């Protein structure tokens, strides 16, 4: 009996741990971390029933080849850290050789963080083009009390972090929509950029794009040089809505005519939609409160649910 319980303990050490709610990023990933757990648990139960530990090895091998995988976390090395605003950073991660993540447009990847032994996960959308070779870049906002932020703030160049994916995405096809209206709040800009860059990089794609970026102040607008370059294309317009700026006079003159102060409300939404060349298909990304407000204003402006996609 003694050997039996020793064996039992050994098997328990291999048993996969059920994820805590904090480990689920809540983005509806397929597979979700709970799906991965169910799969590993079933595998463990099969191996235990047959008393064959070699059956446990399948899942462990995948994480060594540095390719992104939806089921297992893969290690990537940080090649640069750039602070964009007081609480927002741009991180660049290395990809082996000239490989690329091969993400579809607007797809997100899931980061695993650990603080004080507690593991948790969050979804982020890379801002680099999906076919970028040898690297990918992610925009991250750090919150005072956020667990993930505490973890991210410790990162330095050369550190290794773990990602899995890709998930989600917006099934964009060139010229499918006459005009895209992108409504982004803060780091909600992230999924818009690869789509916008794919349109400007494709001479055959004549989709009009109106991007509305909502930020607190002028200083908090991310990636100004990139946005300025994109706004030079004939089919791209970019507006800014700054909730905590009271006057446009302090802004550089080149920003004054396409910037609004206050919040993106129902009236401003109608004004922007009326200024579009065609009835737009709308992409929305921000906090859940922002997404809810935008859905309400879009409905009031006559945009149907099937003409809207929320990241």
């Amino acid at each position: 009996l003694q050997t039996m319980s020793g064996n039992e303990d050994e098997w328990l050490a291999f048993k996969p741990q059920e994820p805590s709610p904090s480990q689920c990023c809540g983005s509806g990933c397929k597979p979700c971390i709970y799906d991965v757990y169910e799969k590993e648990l079933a595998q463990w139960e099969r191996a235990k029933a047959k008393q064959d530990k070699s059956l446990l090895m399948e899942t462990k091998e995948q994480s060594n080849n540095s390719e992104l995988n939806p089921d297992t976390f893969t290690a990537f090395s940080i090649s640069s850290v750039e602070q964009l605003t007081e609480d927002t950073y741009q991180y660049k991660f290395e990809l082996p050789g000239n490989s690329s993540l091969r993400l579809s447009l607007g797809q997100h990847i899931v980061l695993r963080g650990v603080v004080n032994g507690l593991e948790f996960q969050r979804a982020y959308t890379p801002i680099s083009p999906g076919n970028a070779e040898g690297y990918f870049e992610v925009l991250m906002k750090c919150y005072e009390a956020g667990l993930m932020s505490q973890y991210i703030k410790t990162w330095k160049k050369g550190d290794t972090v773990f990602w899995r994916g890709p998930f989600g995405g917006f099934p964009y096809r060139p010229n499918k929509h006459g005009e895209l209206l992108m409504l982004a709040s803060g780091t909600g800009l992230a999924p818009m950029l690869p789509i916008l860059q794919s349109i400007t990089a494709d001479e055959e794609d004549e989709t009009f794009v109106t991007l509305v970026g909502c930020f607190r102040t002028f200083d908090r607008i991310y990636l100004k040089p990139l946005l300025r370059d994109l706004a030079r294309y004939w089919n791209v317009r970019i507006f800014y809505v700054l909730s905590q700026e009271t006057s446009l006079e302090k802004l550089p003159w080149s920003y004054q005519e396409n910037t609004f102060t206050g919040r993106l409300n129902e009236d401003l939404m109608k004004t922007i939609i009326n200024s579009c060349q065609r009835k737009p298909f709308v992409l929305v990304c921000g906090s859940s409160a922002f997404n809810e407000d935008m859905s309400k204003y879009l409905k009031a402006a006559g945009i149907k649910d099937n003409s809207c996609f929320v990241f």
Side-chain angles (χ1 to χ4, degrees), residues 235-274:
N235 50 343
V236 177
R237 298 185 303 165
I238 300 183
F239 293 114
Y240 299 99
V241 181
L242 306 177
S243 60
Q244 291 176 10
E245 294 282 1
T246 46
S247 131
L248 296 176
E249 286 167 17
K250 300 190 196 78
L251 269 52
W253 67 266
S254 60
Y255 282 87
Q256 290 180 12
E257 62 177 337
N258 58 347
T259 301
F260 302 90
T261 59
R263 294 198 167 272
L264 176 46
N265 57 22
E266 195 177 307
D267 288 344
L268 182 52
M269 181 75 87
K270 285 181 178 160
T271 303
I272 289 171
I273 287 174
N274 289 337

Side-chain angles (χ1 to χ4, degrees), residues 21-121:
S22 68
Q23 287 176 269
C24 176
C25 71
S27 300
C29 303
K30 296 268 182 290
C32 167
I33 183 157
Y34 285 104
D35 300 332
V36 175
Y37 165 70
E38 295 293 340
K39 186 174 144 191
E40 288 181 353
L41 185 63
Q43 192 178 3
W44 176 82
E45 283 167 349
R46 273 199 310 275
K48 183 169 180 279
K50 293 187 172 164
Q51 292 289 305
D52 180 358
K53 290 201 185 81
S54 70
L55 294 175
L56 294 172
M57 299 326 283
E58 305 163 29
T59 54
K60 299 291 173 270
E61 287 164 18
Q62 298 171 339
S63 56
N64 301 340
N65 57 12
S66 40
E67 271 199 12
L68 196 61
N69 180 311
D71 297 299
T72 46
F73 281 96
T74 301
F76 293 95
S77 166
I78 299 172
S79 57
S80 76
V81 177
E82 191 186 342
Q83 184 165 1
L84 300 181
T85 67
E86 57 182 324
D87 59 4
T88 308
Y89 298 80
Q90 186 172 342
Y91 294 94
K92 194 171 192 174
F93 298 89
E94 262 174 56
L95 288 171
N98 277 344
S99 63
S100 94
L101 280 186
R102 295 194 293 278
L103 298 188
S104 310
L105 293 173
Q107 280 193 311
H108 64 266
I109 54 180
V110 171
L111 172 68
R112 180 174 69 193
V114 181
V115 169
N116 303 332
L118 177 68
E119 187 186 295
F120 41 89
Q121 306 191 10

